[in-house]
Amino acid sequence: MIVVANYKMNLNLKDYKIVLKHLNNNRVEDTKLILCPPFVYVPFFAKNKTWYALGCQDVSANSKGKCTGQISASMLKDFDVTHCIVGHSDRRAFETNEDIAGKVKQLVDNEIIPIICVGENKKDEADALIIEQLRTTLSKINAKAEFYIAYEPVWAIGLGETATASYINKKVAIIKKEIKRLGFNNPILYGGSVDEENCINLKKCKVDGFLVGGLSLRTDKLISLLGRV
Ligand code: 13P
């Protein structure tokens, strides 16, 4: 199983020192853990990296130049970043599917694995939205590209309400069908109020792992989840 911890804009250096100490003392076999801290803490995570992989929460759609405040994929590569979340619903208000496609291309060109977030805003919303997100964001890469799709129904993020296993399986089937049609066959993760209790039921879904937000802030609970999936 793959577990991605998205710290979003939380914690500070003092907290992250404790997080890494805790994780370094509690290695979990057989689960691929990818930690995605805010940009400024990436050098600290890179320097102290042990058994987990290092990811980021966003990247520029451009390779260099007049992009004040942005960070390029090649800059992330300098710090051993191997994965990067793109298209998170927290960011979709500021970017289009086209923008996200550019980010995915930059990451793939720099051999960083994009974790592409897709998902509907409201429960039972038509699947056309997800299909369009997939079609456009995957339009600039070829069939050999490595990436993960993170299915995150926006209505299930951060509220303690997860989608049911059968709901997730239905959406995952649609995602798999669409990416197959586009020539891909890549891992699919689920995100949205996953915790160390409900993961026992959710791991029965046809997914390859989880993208967790709030749970990342409790390293003890994150370690419990890692041992259960
Ligand atoms: P929660 O796990 O807090 O619902 O957040 C999910 C998420 O947005 C991860 O990217």
Side-chain angles (χ1 to χ4, degrees):
M1 277 286 208
I2 301 162
V3 174
V4 182
N6 177 10
Y7 287 95
K8 306 189 181 180
M9 197 173 71
N10 290 299
L11 310 185
N12 55 32
L13 187 57
K14 194 164 135 256
D15 301 318
Y16 284 124
K17 283 183 180 166
I18 298 167
V19 166
L20 294 196
K21 201 167 163 199
H22 203 157
L23 283 172
N24 290 344
N25 289 334
N26 287 280
R27 187 188 181 109
V28 179
E29 306 290 342
D30 302 330
T31 301
K32 185 173 180 58
L33 174 65
I34 303 156
L35 302 181
C36 302
F39 281 133
V40 290
Y41 299 118
V42 165
F44 173 73
F45 274 65
K47 196 165 154 226
N48 294 284
K49 190 151 78 75
T50 55
W51 59 278
Y52 50 80
L54 181 52
C56 276
Q57 301 175 15
D58 192 26
V59 70
S60 176
N62 299 298
S63 60
K64 62 177 182 177
K66 295 180 178 179
C67 303
T68 302
Q70 297 185 29
I71 310 271
S72 73
S74 68
M75 291 170 182
L76 299 182
K77 192 79 186 164
D78 277 344
F79 288 90
D80 286 338
V81 169
T82 51
H83 297 73
C84 184
I85 297 168
V86 286
H88 193 279
S89 60
D90 289 348
R91 296 209 44 82
R92 278 189 179 266
F94 316 112
E95 58 194 20
T96 63
N97 286 328
E98 273 291 326
D99 297 329
I100 298 163
K103 295 178 179 202
V104 169
K105 172 142 178 43
Q106 285 297 320
L107 291 169
V108 170
D109 287 352
N110 284 277
E111 296 172 336
I112 296 174
I113 299 175
I115 302 166
I116 307 166
C117 300
V118 300
E120 75 282 8
N121 298 310
K122 286 184 245 128
K123 209 186 256 184
D124 297 320
E125 191 175 341
D127 296 322
L129 181 88
I130 294 178
I131 289 173
E132 182 50 36
Q133 288 173 338
L134 291 168
R135 254 181 225 172
T136 309
T137 55
L138 297 175
S139 62
K140 292 187 160 84
I141 53 172
N142 68 40
K144 288 198 191 108
E146 248 194 290
F147 62 84
Y148 308 156
I149 297 293
Y151 168 56
E152 291 209 306
V154 180
W155 55 268
I157 294 177
L159 297 174
E161 184 189 6
T162 52
T164 60
S166 71
Y167 188 99
I168 295 170
N169 281 339
K170 242 193 268 168
K171 298 290 183 185
V172 168
I174 286 157
I175 292 168
K176 280 194 174 153
K177 189 171 161 210
E178 184 58 21
I179 65 172
K180 189 169 173 213
R181 202 187 66 74
L182 296 168
F184 301 104
N185 176 19
N186 296 61
I188 309 206
L189 316 180
Y190 169 76
S193 298
V194 177
D195 63 30
E196 79 290 5
E197 303 290 341
N198 63 25
C199 69
I200 295 166
N201 188 38
L202 291 174
K203 78 175 179 187
K204 295 179 197 144
C205 296
K206 294 180 182 120
V207 293
D208 304 287
F210 299 109
L211 172 53
V212 301
L215 190 83
S216 326
L217 309 182
R218 287 285 308 271
T219 309
D220 53 338
K221 294 190 174 197
L222 178 63
I223 291 167
S224 298
L225 175 134
L226 294 172
R228 290 175 177 175
V229 295

